[in-house]
Amino acid sequence: MGRPRTPIGTFGIIATRPQPNGNHVARARYRDWDGSNRLVQATGPSRAAAERKLKQKLAERSLYQPGFNGMSADSSFLELVTYWLEDMEIEDRLSRTTRNLYERDMRTLVVPAFKDLTLREIGVARCDYFLKQLARRSYSRAKHARVVLRLALALAVRHEILPRNPMDHVSRLHRKKTIPEAFTIGEVQEIRAAIKAWESRRILAGPRPDRQLGQIVEVMLGTSARIGEVLAIRLQDLDLDSPIPTARIAGTIISRKGEPTHRQDHPKTDRSVRRVALPSFALHAIRSRLLRSGDVDPGALLFSTRVGTPRTTNNIRRLLRDVMDEAGIENVTPHRFRRTVATVVNDAQGALLASELLGHTDPRITMQHYIQRNETVNPVTAEHLERAFGKAG
């Protein structure tokens, strides 16, 4: 029978030897988590100092165990990034768009700051400092960096490469409060007039505008849908002849690098699929579009290019910006129409209905990011106060 092996996580006799330069080197055999015995050493100005440093090093080493993947706390951060991206592909839980965004955020925001570090060197203080410095330049970038850094380090914890996630203890990011901006009714009318003038302008050469821009804006105002959701509406999603005409918001347009623009079969989230009643102005825009296109295929997109392919959201944003610049109107974006609709519905019926219309699962999201606060308090308060405190006689 062979000699019994030392338990994993323990070390043998410490041997200390003086060096010509006056320092001392302490060495010991340590049985790592993979079962292999490795020589670990530390240097100090005296025998006792070298042995103290070695014991501290061995104690820290016992906190980390290499995973089945061959990685350990001494692996580089770049190795973890590669492993994390591969794990997302294998798990296949996130959409391709989200995975691409995560990879972009990791490579552009996080990797430049951590690329020369081992996982053992990434602690709470370093992560906290990194996020605070990034937040000074951009809260949004810091928020995105925090998400991907937390996810990658969480994978290292789950796969027993690290004992804890330092991101669990970083301080919260604080964002300056901003008030969501919505259009006034007068501004909406100016935008409509500018688009109508642009679509009706005299064209000396090339095809005339097909009036899709104005119709898209009307549908955004009539449904609160995101620009990608509006461009993804199919003929089969429309019910125009029922007593209450509706449009079903059940997809969005996706444009990824290296892939053709295509329709995704659900909106931003699976839970935001909804059927929206159409006001008359949106219904008129849709009927005008159908009359002009002549499409009858249920699977055809309501708004498309001249050859029937999906229009990109960036194309509509750019076109809207160009038309507004020509008209001298500033700060017009598709998302601001969505905030405008939320504000109007909130003022009339409250945040719960506005949240339902926008496809949000939590009304607090609608209140915080989409509804422009009305600073005017209901004047009925003056009547109550007059009755309570007004002078008699």
Side-chain angles (χ1 to χ4, degrees):
M1 295 178 63
R3 186 175 59 183
R5 308 193 69 177
T6 57
I8 286 176
T10 58
F11 57 90
I13 298 174
I14 296 177
T16 308
R17 294 179 180 177
Q19 302 295 301
N21 59 7
N23 287 332
H24 287 71
V25 176
R27 296 185 176 92
R29 286 280 176 181
Y30 180 88
R31 190 163 184 236
D32 266 321
W33 289 94
D34 60 358
S36 299
N37 285 294
R38 294 183 175 87
L39 184 66
V40 184
Q41 65 181 34
T43 303
S46 66
R47 177 190 181 95
E51 291 182 0
R52 282 198 303 271
K53 288 184 68 175
L54 177 61
K55 288 178 180 179
Q56 181 180 358
K57 196 171 183 179
L58 291 169
E60 291 177 353
R61 192 179 186 92
S62 67
L63 293 175
Y64 304 89
Q65 71 180 71
F68 64 89
N69 47 52
M71 293 180 62
S72 71
D74 292 313
S75 298
S76 70
F77 180 72
L78 291 179
E79 290 180 78
L80 176 63
V81 170
T82 300
Y83 184 60
W84 172 64
L85 294 174
E86 292 173 351
D87 184 75
M88 281 198 297
E89 291 287 341
I90 294 171
E91 194 173 54
D92 197 25
R93 181 175 58 86
L94 301 173
S95 70
R96 168 59 59 186
T97 300
T98 301
R99 294 203 296 269
N100 288 347
L101 288 175
Y102 280 177
E103 181 174 2
R104 182 201 66 184
D105 291 340
M106 175 62 78
R107 295 199 185 283
T108 59
L109 301 177
V110 180
V111 165
F114 290 84
K115 59 184 174 63
D116 297 322
L117 300 174
T118 65
L119 299 181
R120 189 191 300 274
E121 295 169 326
I122 300 175
V124 177
R126 190 185 295 275
C127 293
D128 192 66
Y129 180 78
F130 162 70
L131 291 175
K132 287 177 178 176
Q133 291 299 311
L134 191 57
R136 291 178 63 183
R137 302 197 301 271
S138 168
Y139 170 86
S140 178
R141 291 184 180 181
K143 181 180 177 182
H144 289 184
R146 181 184 61 185
V147 169
V148 295
L149 187 54
R150 179 187 295 278
L151 289 173
L153 293 174
L155 176 66
V157 174
R158 289 199 308 275
H159 289 197
E160 300 178 330
I161 302 168
L162 292 177
R164 61 185 179 275
N165 190 338
M167 291 295 293
D168 290 342
H169 303 286
V170 298
S171 60
R172 294 181 60 185
L173 295 174
H174 296 283
R175 182 177 191 174
K176 293 181 180 179
K177 290 187 177 180
T178 58
I179 299 175
E181 291 186 340
F183 296 119
T184 65
I185 301 303
E187 288 171 334
V188 170
Q189 301 295 38
E190 289 181 17
I191 293 168
R192 283 169 158 167
I195 294 175
K196 184 177 180 180
W198 178 81
E199 292 180 335
S200 304
R201 74 193 189 283
R202 185 181 178 187
I203 302 295
L204 299 178
R208 292 188 58 79
D210 58 7
R211 300 186 181 274
Q212 284 195 55
L213 179 61
Q215 294 161 352
I216 290 169
V217 167
E218 296 302 312
V219 175
M220 283 194 290
L221 285 170
T223 62
S224 82
R226 302 172 179 89
I227 178 61
E229 294 173 340
V230 170
L231 297 180
I233 294 174
R234 301 161 298 183
L235 271 59
Q236 68 191 54
D237 299 320
L238 301 170
D239 184 359
L240 306 183
D241 298 321
S242 65
I244 301 178
T246 61
R248 185 168 182 262
I249 310 302
T252 192
I253 295 299
I254 300 296
S255 299
R256 299 192 189 105
K257 186 176 180 180
E259 298 180 14
T261 297
H262 64 279
R263 182 187 184 277
Q264 177 179 280
D265 63 358
H266 61 81
K268 186 176 181 180
T269 65
D270 293 328
R271 291 175 292 182
S272 57
V273 173
R274 56 207 186 276
R275 186 175 293 278
V276 179
L278 296 170
S280 60
F281 63 85
L283 179 61
H284 176 73
I286 291 173
R287 289 193 184 280
S288 297
R289 172 59 188 158
L290 292 173
L291 186 63
R292 190 178 186 91
S293 69
D295 284 330
V296 294
D297 178 7
L301 294 171
L302 176 63
F303 300 108
S304 61
T305 66
R306 297 182 187 278
V307 294
T309 56
R311 301 197 66 157
T312 68
T313 57
N314 284 341
N315 172 266
I316 299 301
R317 289 191 179 94
R318 183 170 53 251
L319 180 58
L320 181 63
R321 184 171 59 248
D322 291 345
V323 174
M324 293 300 106
D325 287 347
E326 189 175 310
I329 304 175
E330 299 179 345
N331 300 323
V332 179
T333 64
H335 218 60
R336 196 170 174 187
F337 290 114
R338 187 165 158 84
R339 295 192 185 102
T340 301
V341 174
T343 299
V344 169
V345 174
N346 173 73
D347 291 346
Q349 290 288 331
L352 193 60
L353 182 58
S355 176
E356 183 180 346
L357 179 62
L358 269 64
H360 290 158
T361 55
D362 188 344
R364 289 175 296 182
I365 297 174
T366 315
M367 289 292 295
Q368 183 176 355
H369 299 292
Y370 287 86
I371 295 174
Q372 180 171 296
R373 178 176 173 268
N374 185 352
E375 63 181 21
T376 302
V377 178
N378 190 327
V380 74
T381 56
E383 299 175 15
H384 294 309
L385 296 175
E386 179 64 29
R387 285 196 296 270
F389 306 120
K391 293 181 179 180

